[in-house]
Amino acid sequence: MRGWRSGITRLLPSRSDYRRLRRSWRGDLLAGITVGVVALPLALAFGVSSGVGAEAGLITAIVAGLVAAVFGGSNVQVSGPTGAMVVVLAPIVATHGVAAVAVVSVMAGIIVLIAGVLRLGQSVSYIPWPVIEGFTVGIGIIIFLQQVPAAVGAEGAGHSTNAVIAAFQSAASVAWPEALVPLGVVVAVVLIMLVMSRYVPRLPASFIAIILVSVLTVVAAIPLATIGQLPSALPPPSLPDLGWQNLTALAGPALAVAALAAIESLLSARVASSISDTGPYSADRELVGQGLASVASGFFGGMPATGAIARTAVNVRSGAQTRLSAIVHALALLAVVYLAAGVVSHIPLAALAGVLMFTAARMVSPAVIRRVLRSTRQDAAVFVITAVITVSFDLVIAVGIGIVAAAFFALRALGRASSVRREDLPGEPVRGDEGIAIFRVNGSLFFGGAERVLEGVGEQPGIKVVILRLSQIQFLDATGANALSELVTALERRGVTVLIKGIQDEHFALLERLDVIRALRHPNHLFREMGPAVEHARSHVLREHPEWG
């Protein structure tokens, strides 16, 4: 009971979360305000792009950002709506409607919370690097293509839920002279962000680009679709419709969202830990915090949230040391709702599309792509498969298929690295040695090729005694043990005596349960050292064939 209680305590906030606050509070305040400025256009843009609306994006950044900052497992992680989540939510909105997002947020949050309580936080380490880079590239491409309708003024035109098809549909359906106006706004935003990120990288480029373009369009009275009216206060919390019909219909989407939220949040927390000196992160607590954040966001009508790598990096670079910076970031966005909602409502949708197009383009790193493609053919194939399936079908399915493909290539390589090699008998040769064969089994004996590895052992003519040297087996599963059992049985049935040398302690119980030991002619045919095994083999050959003596 005491261990269980201490385990739960480690998943909850504590005073130690703020032990640096006395020295770092000024830097945390400044970092929080900086991140809030950076997060504002992204929160609005991700809300619009997902189909839920700018209000939901802003609510998510505030509510989820605050809850994750307090309960999460990283001292400097910043959470909120992200591009990867937009990719998953857009089809959900198209299929089930806007109201489904709050339900999915609560359901997914509960799943992530349970995963944290069950200590599943380290599971993200099992996702191969090519899979991560593949779905990152796929996400970047999808986010970019999702902005094409807004970039040409064709938003809300009833296009396909597939981003690639929708981009072509919107480009083909608009009147091009008029479409050049929003497209010009997109180009202006991208150029401003490109210049600022190169020459003044410490300034919030997206925020400044949005202000400049918005002021220009208002002053010049350019007819463009805008965000529209935003509430001047947070809505009261309410429980979404969690009726049985919704729960069953949205179970699949909720699992997909939960998987993505867990993966992206843990990856972001790991990156934050590697680029800051604020101490390690707790993967399990991070899942608990992100789960609670999505639940809270759903209660306020928001979206599911995850850790945001880009905003977290800005937070670290701005000098954040404790969770106060992420808390201030959420409070700064809350101040926007109460003090500047009317001003924000005039931001053109095309300007937000420009911000996301620039962000998506930076997600696709040519240098990283070259590194993956130059690594191995197998890893390059996993990368391409994951990216293509992400763009063509579904992000979570792509990650699953990518992991399966990576596992297949890894198991195949592991199987190929395993072998059986015949060795010479030690010492000076004596008469009768031609009837003895020593086979050393190397590597792993598992379902990925146990029979292939062992098939050569039973094909040696003229052999009277076989010594199987098992001390070099690194991994053994039930398939490998069963193949050994069948080999020993077959050899003994043909009159070939089998001696086994060097069974490792961790393998003995499995071999015993699968009757490898019982298949031997005598229990004394197990040896720890090679010398006694060879001596016994020679005596056995001479006893069975005295004419060789």
Side-chain angles (χ1 to χ4, degrees):
M1 177 65 74
R2 181 177 299 176
W4 179 85
R5 189 177 301 166
S6 63
I8 293 297
T9 302
R10 285 196 293 269
L11 300 178
L12 299 175
S14 66
R15 292 182 62 182
S16 63
D17 295 339
Y18 305 94
R19 62 183 179 276
R20 301 188 182 194
L21 189 58
R22 187 170 298 178
R23 300 190 308 273
S24 68
W25 65 270
R26 290 183 181 85
D28 288 333
L29 284 174
L30 180 60
I33 294 172
T34 303
V35 178
V37 170
V38 172
L40 176 60
L42 293 175
L44 297 171
F46 287 139
V48 171
S49 185
S50 66
V52 187
E55 175 186 352
L58 197 53
I59 289 172
T60 305
I62 296 168
V63 176
L66 179 62
V67 174
V70 174
F71 290 94
S74 169
N75 290 318
V76 291
Q77 173 104 292
V78 177
S79 302
T82 62
M85 193 59 71
V86 165
V87 171
V88 176
L89 289 178
I92 295 175
V93 173
T95 304
H96 300 280
V98 173
V101 172
V103 180
V104 168
S105 184
V106 173
M107 293 173 65
I110 293 173
I111 295 171
V112 174
L113 173 62
I114 293 173
V117 173
L118 295 179
R119 308 285 184 85
L120 300 179
Q122 295 301 325
S123 58
V124 72
S125 62
Y126 296 112
I127 302 177
W129 175 58
V131 175
I132 293 172
E133 297 301 338
F135 87 72
T136 300
V137 168
I139 288 168
I141 294 172
I142 291 177
I143 293 173
F144 188 93
L145 294 175
Q146 284 178 337
Q147 310 318 307
V148 172
V152 297
E155 63 276 350
H159 300 129
S160 170
T161 57
N162 183 279
V164 179
I165 297 174
F168 282 104
Q169 287 176 336
S170 58
S173 63
V174 297
W176 269 105
E178 292 82 1
L180 292 176
V181 177
L183 192 59
V185 171
V186 171
V187 172
V189 169
V190 170
L191 288 176
I192 293 171
M193 293 182 67
L194 189 62
V195 171
M196 291 191 64
S197 62
R198 177 161 185 170
Y199 296 105
V200 280
R202 297 189 66 86
L203 294 180
S206 60
F207 184 77
I208 294 174
I210 289 288
I211 290 177
L212 292 177
V213 171
S214 299
V215 169
L216 177 63
T217 57
V218 170
V219 171
I222 300 175
L224 286 171
T226 62
I227 288 177
Q229 189 64 38
L230 290 175
S232 57
L234 280 181
S238 61
L239 185 67
D241 182 9
L242 298 176
W244 181 250
Q245 185 175 357
N246 269 350
L247 292 178
T248 53
L250 298 174
L255 283 171
V257 168
L260 176 60
I263 292 170
E264 190 173 17
S265 297
L266 292 175
L267 288 176
S268 178
R270 189 166 66 184
V271 170
S273 179
S274 67
I275 63 176
S276 68
D277 59 352
T278 57
Y281 73 100
S282 167
D284 297 323
R285 184 178 167 186
E286 183 63 29
L287 291 182
V288 170
Q290 294 295 339
L292 291 173
S294 288
V295 171
S297 178
F299 284 166
F300 283 87
M303 306 155 47
T306 74
I309 295 178
R311 275 157 276 173
T312 299
V314 171
N315 194 35
V316 172
R317 287 198 301 267
S318 300
Q321 292 289 311
T322 72
R323 299 161 187 271
L324 178 63
S325 59
I327 294 172
V328 170
H329 134 271
L331 297 179
L333 294 175
L334 182 63
V336 170
V337 171
Y338 281 93
L339 302 177
V343 175
V344 171
S345 65
H346 294 292
I347 295 176
L349 294 178
L352 296 180
V355 170
L356 289 190
M357 282 184 161
F358 183 84
T359 302
R362 298 192 69 171
M363 291 177 68
V364 181
S365 169
V368 172
I369 293 175
R370 283 195 298 269
R371 286 180 62 199
V372 179
L373 295 180
R374 290 175 179 174
S375 55
T376 66
R377 285 185 297 177
Q378 293 85 354
D379 289 325
V382 170
F383 168 78
V384 172
I385 289 170
T386 306
V388 169
I389 295 177
T390 299
V391 175
S392 305
F393 298 101
D394 179 84
L395 171 61
V396 178
I397 292 176
V399 172
I401 292 177
I403 292 174
V404 170
F408 167 76
F409 288 126
L411 291 173
R412 189 177 69 168
L414 195 62
R416 287 178 173 177
S418 304
S419 64
V420 171
R421 186 167 66 90
R422 184 169 179 175
E423 296 183 329
D424 296 331
L425 271 68
E428 291 294 329
V430 299
R431 290 192 64 183
D433 281 359
E434 61 271 19
I436 303 172
I438 300 176
F439 293 97
R440 187 178 73 182
V441 184
N442 301 307
S444 301
L445 207 57
F446 69 116
F447 69 90
E451 293 185 3
R452 178 190 60 82
V453 171
L454 297 176
E455 63 185 5
V457 176
E459 299 174 355
Q460 304 292 328
I463 299 299
K464 303 303 178 182
V465 180
V466 166
I467 301 175
L468 293 178
R469 186 178 176 186
L470 306 184
S471 58
Q472 301 300 311
I473 294 179
Q474 299 171 354
F475 174 72
L476 178 71
D477 72 352
T479 303
N482 184 66
L484 272 175
S485 178
E486 292 177 349
L487 173 66
V488 172
T489 301
L491 289 172
E492 293 283 1
R493 188 181 296 122
R494 286 165 39 195
V496 178
T497 300
V498 179
L499 310 180
I500 295 180
K501 177 264 173 187
I503 296 179
Q504 299 182 46
D505 293 340
E506 61 267 28
H507 299 156
F508 189 87
L510 177 59
L511 292 173
E512 190 173 38
R513 285 195 297 270
L514 292 185
D515 297 330
V516 175
I517 312 303
R518 186 180 302 175
L520 295 173
R521 187 171 303 180
H522 196 282
N524 290 337
H525 288 178
L526 289 176
F527 298 88
R528 287 191 174 273
E529 302 295 334
M530 181 58 71
V534 173
E535 183 180 345
H536 185 91
R538 284 170 172 166
S539 65
H540 183 84
V541 168
L542 292 179
R543 187 169 58 252
E544 296 288 333
H545 303 276
E547 70 276 9
W548 290 1

